[in-house]
Amino acid sequence: MKKRYKIAILPGDGIGPEVMNEACKIIKILKKKFNLMIETQEYDIGGIAIDKHGTALPKKTLKGCKKSDAILLGSIGGPKWNSLSPKNRPEVSSLLYIRKYFNFFVNLRPSLLLNKLNYLSPLKKKIVKKGFDILCVRELTGGIYFGKPSKEIKKKNQHYAIDTTIYNKYEIKRIAKIAFQEASNRNFKVTSIDKSNVLQTSKLWRKTVDKISKKYPKVKLSHLYFDNAVMQIIKNPSKFDVILCPNLIGDIISDECGILTGSIGMLPSASLNEKGFGLYEPAGGSAPDIQGKNIANPIAQILSLSMLLKHSFNMNNLSNLINYSVQKTLLKGFQTYDISDKKKFITTEQMGNEIIKSIIQDY
Ligand code: NAD
């Protein structure tokens, strides 16, 4: 019997519902064309949930996520809720809560620039003439963002603040394994980034990654210090394949790689836990500056759906079909506002429709 899958759809705030609408159109087409047993159920999250239910993460939403096989999220937050206290802001009280609740320890952030689309990159053409295809594998539940103590201290007329960086071997091993497995299905290269010339946690990171690499003899491992890595990526992004990073370093490196593709509106992400359960969302936020204008780029949301099909449902063919159709649509010259010359561009809905046309043609 065919397996049934459930996706919890959380459109959220700002441009979230606009771009989610395009991803849902694609789910509908795929279901029809391939006779897929995928059920979708929409839930409120973020600012809209505060307005409607008095909380950014209603019980019904969390329950809906728990009984689903994967979560597809739009974006959360916006100026309307900025005046709330930090812990009540929708980003913290819903998104960070969900990430912690499901223990999403790995964050996958692909950044792909096709050589024929290299004019989109802010880098000089001669640097990106071959394009690039980088996958950042970022550790998401450890390191300085979660280490304790993390607080301000007032003592003897002094006012300090302290954050703590902490990693154990187990945390490093499990994220390193993911990086090597991903590289084994790509171009067999892992670059691990740390600051082991200074930090103890980085020394343990490097030793542990070296040890794990022995189990993957086909994958070439190299190490870079964080400061050098930032420069090398700008200088020659094409030489990278999988980049493995601790939490804070990954936060910065994944955004750097992302913007080199031209727009945050085309960058998907996946956050996964040890059971392979995942949350899939655009790398960008709710973009209040363009909300309601029908000009947001839906590609990040559509590629997040593609990652969901691959990582949570093992539907690699359909994931590849979506990726190919997105690339084909861009190569035909269709551009949303963010990647256009600002004179000639298509709307969010039109971009979704063009990608659907390619999906139908290419199958
Ligand atoms: P942002 O990513 O929302 O916007 C930054 C810039 O990128 C804006 O100019 C925006 O128009 C543009 N942009 C983003 N996505 C786009 C798309 N799909 N198409 C075209 N252009 C796009 O970052 P911000 O302005 O710093 O944050 C706005 C709100 O989003 C804040 O409340 C922030 O906390 C929240 N946020 C949420 C998430 C999330 O839901 N995961 C992530 C980051 C920020």
Side-chain angles (χ1 to χ4, degrees):
M1 214 173 68
K2 247 182 155 176
K3 191 168 164 27
R4 283 174 182 274
Y5 295 97
K6 278 189 189 151
I7 306 179
I9 303 278
L10 317 181
D13 305 315
I15 60 166
E18 300 168 42
V19 290
M20 185 64 88
N21 196 35
E22 301 313 306
C24 286
K25 274 164 39 184
I26 291 182
I27 297 177
K28 217 166 158 188
I29 293 289
L30 294 178
K31 271 175 72 174
K32 201 165 153 200
K33 248 187 137 14
F34 299 97
N35 206 11
L36 302 177
M37 311 284 264
I38 295 181
E39 266 175 51
T40 54
Q41 180 72 49
E42 211 174 294
Y43 301 96
D44 292 324
I45 192 166
I48 184 147
I50 294 180
D51 292 353
K52 280 168 74 176
H53 313 280
T55 167
L57 184 62
K59 277 195 183 123
K60 195 174 163 200
T61 302
L62 189 59
K63 217 167 146 194
C65 292
K66 281 202 292 195
K67 65 175 197 212
S68 299
D69 300 296
I71 306 168
L72 188 62
L73 173 73
S75 51
I76 282 169
K80 187 173 176 194
W81 306 282
N82 278 356
S83 55
L84 295 174
S85 68
K87 80 174 190 343
N88 289 320
R89 279 185 58 165
E91 298 88 327
V92 177
S93 57
S94 58
L95 187 52
L96 291 193
Y97 184 90
I98 281 200
R99 283 182 184 156
K100 229 169 165 181
Y101 184 88
F102 289 107
N103 203 9
F104 292 131
F105 73 95
V106 50
N107 184 228
L108 301 178
R109 282 269 300 264
S111 298
L112 171 70
L113 181 74
L114 297 179
N115 58 353
K116 287 189 181 146
L117 296 173
N118 59 16
Y119 59 89
L120 294 176
S121 176
L123 292 180
K124 284 183 185 148
K125 236 187 189 148
K126 67 174 186 195
I127 296 178
V128 281
K129 64 174 185 291
K130 291 194 277 182
F132 57 82
D133 182 2
I134 300 174
L135 176 69
C136 280
V137 177
R138 169 186 168 196
E139 202 289 326
L140 206 57
T141 50
I144 196 161
Y145 290 171
F146 293 93
K148 295 275 178 299
S150 171
K151 59 180 177 184
E152 283 192 46
I153 305 165
K154 285 180 185 161
K155 214 163 98 184
K156 289 188 191 156
N157 292 333
Q158 293 283 2
H159 190 164
Y160 314 83
I162 180 166
D163 294 298
T164 305
T165 303
I166 180 159
Y167 267 116
N168 65 45
K169 249 183 172 175
Y170 173 73
E171 289 171 314
I172 303 170
K173 266 187 196 167
R174 70 176 177 178
I175 191 76
K177 275 186 201 159
I178 303 275
F180 284 101
Q181 282 160 9
E182 289 293 326
S184 304
N185 293 320
R186 294 168 47 97
N187 293 316
F188 298 93
K189 280 195 280 182
V190 169
T191 308
S192 175
I193 303 184
D194 62 41
K195 196 69 187 150
S196 60
N197 46 345
V198 183
L199 300 175
Q200 290 301 327
T201 41
S202 280
K203 286 189 176 116
L204 182 65
W205 181 276
R206 193 175 279 219
K207 263 195 296 197
T208 312
V209 172
D210 274 337
K211 216 164 172 184
I212 293 292
S213 78
K214 306 268 186 308
K215 294 188 180 152
Y216 299 86
K218 285 191 189 148
V219 179
K220 189 175 175 296
L221 169 67
S222 49
H223 298 279
L224 283 179
Y225 296 136
F226 183 25
D227 40 351
N228 185 23
V230 174
M231 294 192 286
Q232 296 305 324
I233 291 169
I234 297 262
K235 222 170 115 189
N236 188 4
S238 321
K239 76 173 185 195
F240 291 90
D241 177 21
V242 171
I243 297 183
L244 167 64
C245 308
N247 203 343
L248 170 65
I249 293 180
D251 197 0
I252 295 160
I253 292 283
S254 59
D255 269 6
E256 182 193 9
C257 294
I259 201 57
L260 300 185
T261 64
S263 170
I264 195 162
M266 298 198 289
L267 302 174
S269 79
S271 303
L272 307 168
N273 68 16
E274 287 192 4
K275 292 182 186 141
F277 181 68
L279 168 87
Y280 301 84
E281 60 175 321
S286 59
D289 53 335
I290 56 168
Q291 174 185 358
K293 295 184 178 163
N294 198 12
I295 58 169
N297 193 334
I299 289 179
Q301 190 74 63
I302 290 168
L303 292 179
S304 299
L305 169 65
S306 158
M307 291 188 88
L308 182 156
L309 296 176
K310 177 177 169 187
H311 293 281
S312 282
F313 297 174
N314 260 327
M315 295 179 179
N316 287 1
N317 289 348
L318 292 189
S319 170
N320 290 340
L321 176 61
I322 294 179
N323 296 348
Y324 179 72
S325 303
V326 166
Q327 289 164 13
K328 200 170 145 187
T329 306
L330 290 170
L331 288 170
K332 278 185 200 162
F334 290 110
Q335 295 173 330
T336 40
Y337 183 77
D338 53 319
I339 50 173
S340 72
D341 59 4
K342 315 296 179 229
K343 289 183 200 127
K344 196 170 161 239
F345 53 90
I346 60 172
T347 64
T348 309
E349 274 176 53
Q350 285 168 331
M351 181 56 98
N353 293 344
E354 288 304 329
I355 293 169
I356 287 174
K357 266 191 220 163
S358 284
I359 290 178
I360 294 170
Q361 279 163 8
D362 292 330
Y363 180 68

